[in-house]
Structure formats: structure tokens, C-alpha cells
Amino acid sequence: MCASASKTILDLEDDTDPGVEHLAMQELENATLPTPLEPMISPPSTTLAQYLATKSKAEPLIVALTNMGYSDMASNFLCSMRRLGMTNTLMFATDLGSYSFLANRGYDIFYLNSTSSETGATWGSKAFNTFVKEKVRGVLAVVSAGYDVFFCDLDMVWKRSLSDVLPTAAREDRLPEVDGKKIGQLEGDPNADGSGWDYAIYYYKAHSNTGFYYMRSNNRTVELMQNWLQCCGRVPVDDQDTFDGLTDLHLRGKRLSRIKYVWARCKDLQRFLRRVLLSSREYFPNGSDFFVLKYPQRAKVTPFLLHANQIPGGKRAKIKVMKEFGEWLIDDDSRCKA
């Protein structure tokens, strides 16, 4: 289960294949550990509120979370942003190993010291579900502090910036436009205050994918994040199934049968906000769309993000295909290549 819904990170001072839905911390043998052992770095005694004060509210804060088992993936993800000059980031390191590993490579990291961190947890297990729900707590803390958020899983590569595209479309309450095309689907009733839509999220086929979403900071989204965290304390499923159960009226098939359990336990927490579903397979491709079906390549467009899910075989298979396509941007020491 996830941590208590009443305690946010601001209070902390110090299809079911693993490759389909999430970057799963699924196999201990797949974990990349520093060899030889690197020196551990003592994190500064900085609170999250103090750390956030160093970040800009002028554009969304890019938030992600890692542990030691996925520190190489985290380095590749951070390297993709560094290459684009994207610096407004918040990487939560949930253990001292991942904090030291990434700090030693020159990245700006916040040490979370989570008791829920698991280096290798089987996808769908209680340990895995507990770990991934730390993501919900993290985003809740940041949105509650007044920051808009781009949340990302680690099996992603940034290809171009979204900092102007989604925020502008949200304020103007319209679909985002890219290369002269409108992308995505807009759903939900307009907000009476005229503030525009509340969030955007990856949408694959008939369900959302919480591997990437843009969450604006307002009273409605803070309540949604609070409800999401509260629901994850009621049901023994991962953060994505929980989110679908709270927000989606269009589920069907196997997905619907899984979500009915969430509906039964969390119906009082459901919130149907005005949102954009990022369903473009050219601009927001999953792993199959990019590496196999090649939607962006055939359309001759540059996607915003490449999400290396939908790759059977777990982490090793993802890294292999990313290397083959030139999307593995770090060297053998997990340092960003020149």
C-alpha cells in the first residue's frame, strides 16, 4: 500500500506485462549497481520546500523518481533533458546509492530517503505497488506548493520541449497544436472560472498511462492528487489502475474488469476534471510505436517524448533496443555522452 495520505513529502526532512504499463523495478538481477563501489555522498540537510524555492514556476517542473536499481535509466533520462537545455527538474532519489550515483555524475538530485524504496521488486507485487505510489506523494507535494508538473517515468527520452506547447493550450482551453496540427482529445466540462483545462496525460488505446502527465497546480488538481493518494491506500493495485478508476468513464474489456475493484473502494473519490488525452502516436509514441511501428519516423516528425514501454523483456530489453536506435545517451559509466 502507499504511505499515509495525510503525510506528504514536504513533511519528510531528511495488458499486465512488466514492459507494457510501467518502468517496473521488476528484477533484482537487472539492477545496475556501481562497480567498483563508488563513494557515498552525504546529502545536504535541505527540505523539499527549500529545494523547490530554487526552481522556477514560470514553466512546469519536470519530476521523476528513482532508486539504485534504475539509476542508469535515470541518468539516460536526465541526459536527454541536459542535451535540450531543460534544467527545471526534480529527480527524487529514494536511497543513498542512487543519490550518490547521480550526484557523482553531475546531476541535480533531491534525496528523499524513502523507506518504501525497493531495488528489485516484482511487477504487481506489494513492494512494487508501494514504491510506485511514492510518485503520487511526490507530485502531490510539488503541486501543493504551487508548481505545475511534468511527471515522467524513467524509461523515457525527451526529444523536444513541451514547456510552451501544453501550458499555452491549457490556459487557452484548447487542444495543443504542433507543426500546424491539433493533437489529442479534449474531454470534460469547461471550468467556470475560465482557467482552462486542468491536466493532460498519455492515453494509449482505451486507458491512460501515468508514465507521463502534465498536472497544473490549482485547487481541483490538488484535490485530485489527494484523492489519488487516498485511494491507493485502499486498494492493492498500482498507481495507474488507481488513477484510471478515479478519472476514466470510457474503460472497457479486461481493463474495465480490473478497474471495477477501484470503483468499488474509491467511488467517493472520483473526480472528472477537464483534461487532454495525449493519444498521438507520432508525437507521444510508446515503445512499440517508435521502435516497431515507427509512427514518428513514417510521419517525418520529431516526437516530444519517447516512452520505451511496450517492450517485452524488462529493463535489459529496453536498454538493448534504445542502444540500437541511438536513444541510449550515456556511456558505459552512465555518464552523459558529449
Side-chain angles (χ1 to χ4, degrees), residues 111-272:
Y111 181 50
L112 177 59
N113 189 22
S114 170
T115 56
S116 299
S117 180
E118 294 284 345
T119 298
T122 303
W123 188 87
S125 68
K126 181 177 179 180
F128 173 73
N129 290 343
T130 298
F131 180 82
V132 296
K133 287 163 187 172
E134 289 291 290
K135 301 185 300 187
V136 183
R137 290 211 307 140
V139 175
L140 170 59
V142 178
V143 172
S144 297
Y147 293 80
D148 294 349
V149 166
F150 287 147
F151 177 82
C152 303
D153 273 354
L154 297 179
D155 55 344
M156 290 188 160
V157 175
W158 280 89
K159 307 289 285 180
R160 59 198 285 195
S161 175
L162 272 169
S163 292
D164 292 329
V165 176
L166 291 185
T168 300
R171 290 191 298 268
E172 297 177 359
D173 199 34
R174 59 169 174 80
L175 287 174
E177 293 186 21
V178 186
D179 302 332
K181 308 170 190 174
K182 292 182 179 179
I183 58 173
Q185 306 166 54
L186 184 60
E187 69 173 25
D189 297 328
N191 289 309
D193 60 5
S195 60
W197 47 263
D198 294 309
Y199 70 94
I201 190 165
Y202 263 26
Y203 204 79
Y204 295 160
K205 296 181 180 178
H207 65 86
S208 57
N209 183 296
T210 54
F212 175 79
Y213 56 88
Y214 165 48
M215 190 68 63
R216 301 178 72 193
S217 176
N218 60 43
N219 291 337
R220 294 180 297 272
T221 58
V222 169
E223 181 186 35
L224 174 62
M225 295 300 303
Q226 290 172 336
N227 289 4
W228 189 5
L229 182 58
Q230 186 174 343
C231 183
C232 83
R234 297 181 185 180
V235 294
V237 297
D238 69 17
D239 60 314
Q240 183 165 285
D241 281 356
T242 306
F243 188 83
D244 269 347
L246 294 180
T247 63
D248 205 322
L249 290 171
H250 308 296
L251 301 174
R252 58 182 183 271
K254 291 182 179 179
R255 190 76 181 176
L256 177 59
S257 66
R258 286 163 54 185
I259 300 305
K260 283 182 177 178
Y261 185 81
V262 180
W263 285 357
R265 297 292 184 92
C266 300
K267 191 171 183 59
D268 59 312
L269 301 176
Q270 289 179 319
R271 295 294 182 272
F272 304 104

Side-chain angles (χ1 to χ4, degrees), residues 23-80:
L23 171 62
M25 285 64 176
Q26 74 270 32
E27 297 176 15
L28 182 58
E29 66 178 5
N30 283 346
T32 300
L33 301 175
T35 306
L37 187 64
E38 298 185 355
M40 294 293 105
I41 298 177
S42 296
S45 56
T46 304
T47 67
L48 181 57
Q50 291 170 332
Y51 183 85
L52 286 174
T54 68
K55 301 298 179 178
S56 173
K57 290 185 177 181
E59 60 181 339
L61 185 61
I62 302 170
V63 177
L65 180 145
T66 190
N67 62 12
M68 189 61 237
Y70 281 77
S71 53
D72 54 348
M73 278 282 197
S75 182
N76 194 69
F77 170 75
L78 290 166
C79 181
S80 72

